[in-house]
Amino acid sequence: MKNLIVASTSTIYNGNYLDYLTDALTEFFSETDEILFIPYARPGGISHDQYTEKASKAFEKLNKKVVGLHSFQDPVKAIKEAKGIFTGGGNTFVLVSSLYKNQVMESLREAIFNGTPYLGTSAGSNICGVSMKTTNDMPIVYPPSFKTLGVIPFNVNPHYLDPNPSSEHMGETRETRIKEFHTQNNIPVVGLREGSWLRVNGSSIVLEGEHNARIFKQGKDPVEVATSTSLSQLTL
Amino acid sequence: MKNLIVASTSTIYNGNYLDYLTDALTEFFSETDEILFIPYARPGGISHDQYTEKASKAFEKLNKKVVGLHSFQDPVKAIKEAKGIFTGGGNTFVLVSSLYKNQVMESLREAIFNGTPYLGTSAGSNICGVSMKTTNDMPIVYPPSFKTLGVIPFNVNPHYLDPNPSSEHMGETRETRIKEFHTQNNIPVVGLREGSWLRVNGSSIVLEGEHNARIFKQGKDPVEVATSTSLSQLTL
């Protein structure tokens, strides 16, 4: 049975890495002492080792050991044998390219369908959707496909940002970008604000955290849904 | 001899479409009464006709007729015969996909090298660089390549935005994103603020408009350059 936390961000304003998720993660990873960390998204370009060290420090507080997927000779086997998986944020194009290059996209999908607890933050959440076409990241590398895990039946937009009425910047708002997405695609999109996450249990998907989420469907006006709302019915 | 205006944005805050460029465009397009408009980027998902109408209205003030590339049966011939070309902003992924789909990327590059005056704004400027890997846009379609016109020897980041010190948003700043680009690529990047443009004349490239630009090179700290600075030497 699928078992995921799909979080908008790893870190909220004025918080430390993963701190706001401590209670949720204690329960979520209660059946394992070791977490397989996928460091491929390399935020700010840091190395796989540096990134794994950062995740390790955060999980020390929960008495969990963290091992980096890059340290295994056989990453497919590592994913199959993992008792818990965490994919951190960074650049979604780099992450998806690395998942394909290391041929682990399919085994990661299988592990999630087989019930391995999976935590994603930011880019690690983007890949849970049908495609990575609603990432905010810069396309710094060309991945072989924008198709991602598809373990939830819609896309997410992490770090969802409301328009700033006092902004003088003329670049597109997040809402405009998602509207453009829907001129080319019919997959629903959940705008997940920082501090929100999706809790997936089998076919149940529930919005958690302190904020509303903004739901975008092709040809419809966006709607706000409150925390604790079920999004299980959000499909095409 | 190459002859381009590569602008950060079509519209500045509190301004009308292309208004801030009126003086520059009057001189730039002085040798033609008709401008070929490439409406492929479809900002906000508007149709090619709607977008061409918008460009037409702006150029009416300069007594120029605007014709949309989508209205030609043979777009390659239209580009070859054009006396002036304008590619508007919108979504760079949609623009690049359409340029490849309609097989005009190469003929557009040739026209520019042959001296056809070319105006780009936003996405239309992104494609002047070596690749589209420094666009801010959402990857709503999968283009066959991120390679673009390469009529300037570096990349641009249009709508360049300085970090907002009062922001509580935890998404990456523009500078962080470009730093991530340089972990994967060695092409220099010019962060073009809204109101700035590059004036290309043959091998001469000069920063115009009221703002500084921010120059990013792999392995170096970013530097600010003042308007009127030559960027002709900005190569690998």
Side-chain angles (χ1 to χ4, degrees):
Chain A
M1 198 177 86
K2 284 185 291 187
N3 186 19
L4 297 94
I5 289 177
V6 179
S8 173
T9 185
S10 61
T11 314
I12 57 173
Y13 184 67
N14 271 339
N16 291 317
Y17 192 64
L18 296 180
D19 261 8
Y20 79 102
L21 285 169
T22 300
D23 291 348
L25 294 181
T26 303
E27 179 260 330
F28 186 66
F29 285 127
S30 62
E31 312 249 319
T32 181
D33 295 329
E34 188 173 286
I35 291 159
L36 180 66
F37 180 59
I38 303 183
Y40 292 165
R42 301 182 55 192
I46 62 172
S47 71
H48 294 153
D49 277 342
Q50 286 172 313
Y51 199 13
T52 303
E53 180 62 25
K54 181 176 179 175
S56 295
K57 280 196 179 140
F59 275 99
E60 260 173 26
K61 297 171 204 159
L62 305 181
N63 292 314
K64 309 284 181 198
K65 186 184 165 194
V66 167
V67 287
L69 182 58
H70 66 293
S71 66
F72 289 84
Q73 279 221 316
D74 185 345
V76 170
K77 184 161 171 268
I79 285 174
K80 273 188 185 157
E81 294 177 354
K83 299 283 181 266
I85 298 174
F86 168 33
T87 304
N91 185 289
T92 308
F93 293 85
V94 175
L95 170 60
V96 169
S97 296
S98 300
L99 289 171
Y100 279 115
K101 189 179 164 197
N102 292 292
Q103 299 183 291
V104 293
M105 188 71 92
E106 196 50 41
S107 47
L108 183 53
R109 183 178 150 89
E110 275 170 25
I112 293 170
F113 271 98
N114 288 338
T116 310
Y118 175 93
L119 165 67
T121 59
S122 192
S125 294
N126 258 315
I127 61 170
C128 293
V130 176
S131 77
M132 56 168 284
K133 291 182 180 175
T134 50
T135 177
N136 310 308
D137 295 336
M138 198 172 258
I140 62 177
V141 294
Y142 184 71
S145 170
F146 284 167
K147 197 179 163 204
T148 47
L149 295 169
V151 292
I152 52 175
F154 46 78
N155 273 11
V156 293
N157 178 251
H159 301 281
Y160 183 78
L161 197 57
D162 294 292
N164 174 359
S166 70
S167 171
E168 299 185 357
H169 188 66
M170 300 301 286
E172 291 88 348
T173 64
R174 196 65 61 79
E175 182 158 327
T176 298
R177 295 180 192 280
I178 297 172
K179 186 180 163 194
E180 289 178 356
F181 169 81
H182 277 139
T183 67
Q184 307 284 330
N185 303 272
N186 57 6
I187 307 292
V189 180
V190 174
L192 268 184
R193 295 181 175 92
E194 294 175 348
S196 289
W197 67 94
L198 302 177
R199 187 70 181 86
V200 183
N201 269 301
S203 59
S204 159
I205 307 175
V206 177
L207 177 67
E208 304 276 359
E210 57 179 318
H211 303 296
N212 290 352
R214 195 161 179 86
I215 312 291
F216 300 86
K217 295 180 89 168
Q218 191 181 42
K220 302 269 172 69
D221 287 334
V223 293
E224 291 285 322
V225 297
T227 189
S228 302
T229 298
S230 167
L231 298 174
S232 315
Q233 303 306 315
L234 186 63
T235 53
L236 278 181
Chain B
M1 198 177 84
K2 284 185 291 186
N3 186 17
L4 296 92
I5 290 178
V6 178
S8 173
T9 184
S10 61
T11 314
I12 56 173
Y13 184 67
N14 271 339
N16 291 316
Y17 191 65
L18 296 179
D19 261 8
Y20 80 102
L21 285 168
T22 300
D23 291 347
L25 295 181
T26 302
E27 178 259 329
F28 186 67
F29 285 127
S30 63
E31 311 248 319
T32 181
D33 295 330
E34 189 173 285
I35 292 158
L36 180 65
F37 179 60
I38 303 183
Y40 293 164
R42 302 183 54 194
I46 62 172
S47 72
H48 294 153
D49 277 343
Q50 287 172 312
Y51 199 13
T52 303
E53 180 64 25
K54 181 177 179 174
S56 294
K57 279 197 177 139
F59 275 100
E60 260 174 26
K61 297 171 203 159
L62 305 181
N63 292 314
K64 309 286 181 199
K65 187 183 164 193
V66 168
V67 287
L69 182 58
H70 66 294
S71 66
F72 289 85
Q73 278 220 315
D74 185 345
V76 170
K77 186 161 171 267
I79 284 175
K80 273 188 185 160
E81 293 178 352
K83 300 280 179 270
I85 298 174
F86 168 33
T87 303
N91 184 290
T92 308
F93 292 85
V94 175
L95 170 59
V96 168
S97 297
S98 300
L99 289 170
Y100 279 114
K101 189 179 163 194
N102 291 292
Q103 299 181 290
V104 294
M105 189 70 92
E106 197 50 41
S107 47
L108 183 54
R109 182 178 151 89
E110 277 170 23
I112 292 170
F113 271 97
N114 288 337
T116 309
Y118 176 93
L119 166 67
T121 60
S122 192
S125 294
N126 258 315
I127 61 170
C128 293
V130 176
S131 77
M132 56 169 284
K133 290 181 180 176
T134 50
T135 178
N136 311 308
D137 295 336
M138 198 173 257
I140 62 176
V141 295
Y142 184 70
S145 169
F146 285 167
K147 195 179 164 203
T148 48
L149 295 168
V151 293
I152 52 176
F154 46 78
N155 272 11
V156 294
N157 178 253
H159 301 282
Y160 183 77
L161 196 58
D162 294 292
N164 174 359
S166 69
S167 172
E168 299 185 357
H169 188 66
M170 301 299 288
E172 291 88 348
T173 65
R174 196 65 60 79
E175 182 159 325
T176 299
R177 294 179 192 280
I178 296 171
K179 186 181 164 196
E180 288 179 355
F181 170 81
H182 276 140
T183 67
Q184 306 284 329
N185 304 272
N186 57 5
I187 308 292
V189 179
V190 175
L192 269 184
R193 294 183 176 91
E194 294 176 348
S196 290
W197 67 93
L198 302 177
R199 185 71 179 87
V200 183
N201 270 300
S203 60
S204 158
I205 307 175
V206 177
L207 177 67
E208 305 274 359
E210 57 180 318
H211 303 295
N212 291 352
R214 195 160 178 88
I215 312 291
F216 300 85
K217 294 181 90 168
Q218 191 181 40
K220 301 270 173 67
D221 286 334
V223 293
E224 291 284 322
V225 296
T227 190
S228 302
T229 299
S230 167
L231 298 175
S232 316
Q233 303 306 317
L234 185 63
T235 53
L236 279 182

